[in-house]
C-alpha cells in the first residue's frame, strides 16, 4: 500500500507585489490536507496583509484543489496633465470658403479674423494630482502628479485673474502664431492688395505699403493708410483715409477725414474734411472743408458737394469742362425742417388730448375712487404726457439747430486763388452762378442780394 502524501500549497507573488495567487494541491493516499492556518502563516511570512480576500483563502482551502487570487494591490492613479480647450480654430494662412453653389471668391482669403476685446479664446483646465496606490504588503506606491498646462500668452491676449481662461486684451485680428494666439490691433500689408492678400475687412487700422489693385475692397473700423495708388477698388473707413498717391476709378468712403494726392473719375464720400492736390472727373461729397492746394491745385469735371468752405487754385479748364460745385445742404435741411414742423404739430395735438384725459380723470378721482381700469389709464396718460413733452422739447431744439445751420450756410464761400473757367456752375444754397468768362482770383460767395458772385 502506497504511503500517504500530504496536500501542498504555493503562493505566487508578482515582482511588483500587486497580486498573490494561492494554488493548492490535494493530498493523496489519505494524506493530510492543507489547513488555513498553514496558508495564513505563509502569507504572514511573505508580508501579504493588504487587500486580502479572506473568503477566497477559505474557499481554496475547503476545496483543496484550487488556484485563486487571494490579495490584490491598488495601483496608483496618475494625475492628469493640465490642458487648454480653444474656442477658435488654430490655423494660419488662407482659408477660402465656397458658397452654397460651390463658388469660391479668390479675393476673399479669410486671412483676417476680427474679434472684440474680452472674448474668451481658450479655457484652461488645471492638472490633477492623482492618488497613490498600495501593494499587497501595504506599502504605498507613489503616483505621478499631472503637469500644469503649457501656457504661451501672445500679444493682445491676457490671462484672467482666476487663471482659468485666456481672453482678448484688445480688439483686432485674432491669429495663430506658432503655439499661441495673438491679437493684432492693426493690419500691416507689406505690399499690394492683390490675390495674395485678398479683400480686407478689419476691426482696427489698416496700413498698406503698396497699391490697392483693381477689384479689391478694403474696409476698416478704424483708419486706412495707403502708400500707393487705389485703382478701380473700394475703400471704406469709419475713421480717416490717408493715401499718399491717388484714387483712380474707385469708390471711397470715410467717416473721418481724407487726405489724398489726387482723385480721378472716383466717387468720394467724406463726413469730415478732404485735402488733395487735384480732382478730375470725380463725384465728391465733403462734410467739412475741402482743401485742394499744392501741386496743380485744380478741380476739373464732375460734381463736388461741400458743407463747408472750399479752397482751390483753379476750377475748370480752358476746355470748358462741365464742373458743378455745390456749397451747403439747404435742400436736405429744408426737407428735414418741414418734416420736423409737421411732427411738432402732431406731438402738440397729442399732448393736448393727453392733458385733457389727465385733467378729467384727476377730477373724477377727487369725487370718488377710480376703477382699477381708469386708474391704470390715468397712470399711462401721465407717463405718455411727460414723454410727449420730452419729444416736443427735442423737436424744438432740432428745429432751432437747423434754422441756425441754414442761416450759417449763407457765409459759405470758395477761396479761389487763381481762376475759374467757363463750364463751371457754382451753387450756394438756393442761388447759382454759371461762369461764362474766365475769372479770378477772388472769393465766390453769396452777396447781400442773395446772388452768387465772384468778388
Amino acid at each position: 500500500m502506497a504511503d500517504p502524501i500530504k496536500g501542498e500549497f504555493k503562493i505566487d507573488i508578482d515582482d511588483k507585489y500587486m497580486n498573490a495567487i494561492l494554488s493548492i494541491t490535494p493530498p493523496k493516499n489519505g494524506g493530510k490536507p492543507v489547513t488555513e492556518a498553514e496558508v495564513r502563516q505563509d502569507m504572514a511570512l511573505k508580508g501579504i496583509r493588504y487587500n486580502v480576500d479572506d473568503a477566497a483563502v477559505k474557499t481554496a482551502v475547503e476545496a483543496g484543489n484550487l488556484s485563486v487570487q487571494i490579495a490584490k494591490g491598488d495601483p496608483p492613479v496618475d494625475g492628469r496633465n493640465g490642458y487648454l480647450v480653444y474656442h477658435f480654430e488654430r490655423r494660419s494662412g488662407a482659408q477660402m470658403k465656397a458658397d452654397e453653389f460651390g463658388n469660391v471668391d479668390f479675393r476673399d482669403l479669410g486671412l483676417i479674423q476680427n474679434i472684440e476685446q474680452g472674448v474668451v479664446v481658450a479655457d484652461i483646465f488645471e492638472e490633477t494630482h492623482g492618488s497613490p496606490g498600495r501593494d499587497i504588503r501595504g506599502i504605498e506606491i507613489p503616483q505621478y502628479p499631472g503637469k500644469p498646462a503649457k501656457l504661451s500668452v501672445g500679444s493682445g491676449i491676457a490671462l484672467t485673474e482666476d487663471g482659468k481662461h485666456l481672453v482678448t486684451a484688445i480688439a483686432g485680428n485674432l491669429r495663430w502664431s506658432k503655439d499661441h494666439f495673438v491679437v493684432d490691433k492693426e493690419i500691416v500689408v507689406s505690399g499690394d492688395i492683390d490675390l495674395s492678400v485678398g479683400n480686407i475687412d478689419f476691426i482696427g487700422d489698416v496700413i498698406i505699403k503698396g497699391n490697392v489693385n483693381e477689384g479689391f475692397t478694403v474696409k476698416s473700423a478704424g483708419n486706412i493708410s495707403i502708400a500707393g495708388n487705389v485703382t478701380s477698388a473700394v475703400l471704406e473707413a469709419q475713421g480717416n483715409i490717408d493715401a499718399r498717391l491717388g484714387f483712380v476709378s474707385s469708390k471711397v468712403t470715410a467717416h473721418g477725414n481724407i487726405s489724398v494726392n489726387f482723385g480721378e473719375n472716383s466717387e468720394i464720400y467724406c463726413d469730415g474734411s478732404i485735402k488733395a492736390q487735384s480732382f478730375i472727373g470725380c463725384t465728391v461729397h465733403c462734410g467739412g472743408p475741402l482743401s485742394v492746394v499744392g501741386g496743380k491745385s485744380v478741380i476739373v469735371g464732375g460734381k463736388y458737394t461741400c458743407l463747408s468752405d472750399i479752397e482751390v487754385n483753379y476750377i475748370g479748364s480752358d476746355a470748358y469742362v462741365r464742373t458743378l460745385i455745390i456749397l451747403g445742404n439747404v435742400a436736405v435741411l429744408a426737407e428735414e425742417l418741414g418734416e420736423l414742423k409737421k411732427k411738432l404739430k402732431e406731438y402738440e395735438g397729442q399732448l393736448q388730448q393727453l392733458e385733457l384725459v389727465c385733467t378729467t380723470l384727476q377730477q373724477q378721482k377727487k369725487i370718488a375712487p377710480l376703477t382699477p381700469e381708469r386708474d391704470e389709464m390715468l397712470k399711462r396718460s401721465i407717463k405718455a404726457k411727460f414723454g410727449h413733452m420730452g419729444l416736443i422739447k427735442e423737436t424744438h431744439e432740432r428745429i432751432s439747430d437747423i434754422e441756425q445751420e441754414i442761416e450759417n450756410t449763407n457765409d459759405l464761400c470758395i477761396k479761389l486763388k487763381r481762376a475759374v473757367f467757363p463750364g463751371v456752375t457754382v451753387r450756394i444754397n438756393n442761388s447759382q452762378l454759371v461762369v461764362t468768362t474766365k475769372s479770378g482770383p477772388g472769393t465766390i460767395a453769396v452777396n447781400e442780394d442773395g446772388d452768387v458772385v465772384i468778388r
Side-chain angles (χ1 to χ4, degrees), residues 262-328:
F262 66 90
E264 292 182 5
N265 303 314
S266 295
E267 296 179 27
I268 302 168
Y269 184 95
C270 177
D271 287 339
S273 64
I274 297 178
K275 291 183 179 180
Q277 293 188 15
S278 68
F279 285 113
I280 299 175
C282 292
T283 299
V284 175
H285 184 283
C286 180
L290 175 59
S291 178
V292 185
V293 296
K296 297 179 179 179
S297 183
V298 60
I299 297 175
V300 180
K303 178 181 177 181
Y304 304 82
T305 302
C306 184
L307 306 188
S308 185
D309 295 338
I310 295 178
E311 182 180 11
V312 61
N313 281 357
Y314 298 98
I315 304 177
S317 71
D318 290 325
Y320 293 7
V321 178
R322 291 175 61 87
T323 307
L324 175 61
I325 307 291
I326 301 173
L327 287 187

Side-chain angles (χ1 to χ4, degrees), residues 18 50 73-79 129-135 139-145:
M18 294 301 290
Y50 181 74
D74 293 329
V77 177
D78 292 334
H129 297 290
S131 57
R134 198 173 294 275
D135 66 17
I139 297 175
E140 186 177 282
I141 305 170
Q143 81 280 23
Y144 289 100

Side-chain angles (χ1 to χ4, degrees), residues 43-226:
M43 289 171 62
L45 290 173
K46 289 182 168 61
I48 302 172
R49 62 175 60 90
Y50 181 74
N51 265 2
V52 174
D53 190 343
D54 293 323
V57 174
K58 187 174 183 64
T59 300
V61 171
E62 290 177 350
N65 183 15
L66 199 62
S67 180
V68 295
Q69 185 179 53
I70 59 172
K72 181 181 180 180
D74 293 329
V77 177
D78 292 334
R80 182 198 65 214
N81 291 336
Y83 61 96
L84 280 73
V85 174
Y86 291 97
H87 295 284
F88 296 88
E89 187 178 353
R90 289 170 285 174
R91 63 172 175 82
S92 58
Q95 190 81 6
M96 290 180 289
K97 296 180 180 179
D99 62 18
E100 56 183 326
F101 303 107
N103 300 315
V104 175
D105 184 357
F106 290 98
R107 289 185 174 87
D108 189 359
L109 304 184
L111 293 173
I112 295 174
Q113 188 169 206
N114 289 305
I115 196 165
E116 297 287 350
Q117 181 181 356
V119 176
V120 176
V121 174
D123 296 324
I124 303 169
F125 291 86
E126 295 181 346
E127 73 279 9
T128 61
H129 297 290
S131 57
R134 198 173 294 275
D135 66 17
I136 59 177
R137 298 171 297 180
I139 297 175
E140 186 177 282
I141 305 170
Q143 81 280 23
Y144 289 100
K147 297 179 180 178
K150 292 182 178 179
L151 283 183
S152 182
V153 182
S155 62
I157 301 292
L159 181 65
T160 56
E161 290 185 4
D162 59 10
K164 294 182 178 180
H165 308 283
L166 291 176
V167 298
T168 53
I170 58 174
N173 176 40
L174 180 69
R175 63 181 175 87
W176 183 254
S177 176
K178 295 182 180 179
D179 62 348
H180 56 257
F181 276 111
V182 298
V183 178
D184 302 316
K185 66 179 180 180
E186 64 182 21
I187 293 293
V188 179
V189 180
S190 58
D192 295 345
I193 299 295
D194 53 23
L195 286 174
S196 67
V197 177
N199 296 328
I200 290 179
D201 188 349
F202 184 47
I203 199 171
D205 294 344
V206 178
I207 300 172
I208 301 165
K209 297 186 177 180
N211 304 309
V212 180
N213 291 333
E214 180 178 355
F216 289 92
T217 298
V218 178
K219 297 181 180 180
S220 168
N223 305 313
I224 299 176
S225 176
I226 304 163

Side-chain angles (χ1 to χ4, degrees), residues 354 373 375-385:
L354 289 167
E373 293 79 10
D375 192 54
E376 182 63 28
M377 181 187 296
L378 176 59
K379 291 177 181 177
R380 289 199 305 268
S381 298
I382 292 173
K383 183 177 180 181
K385 173 184 171 181

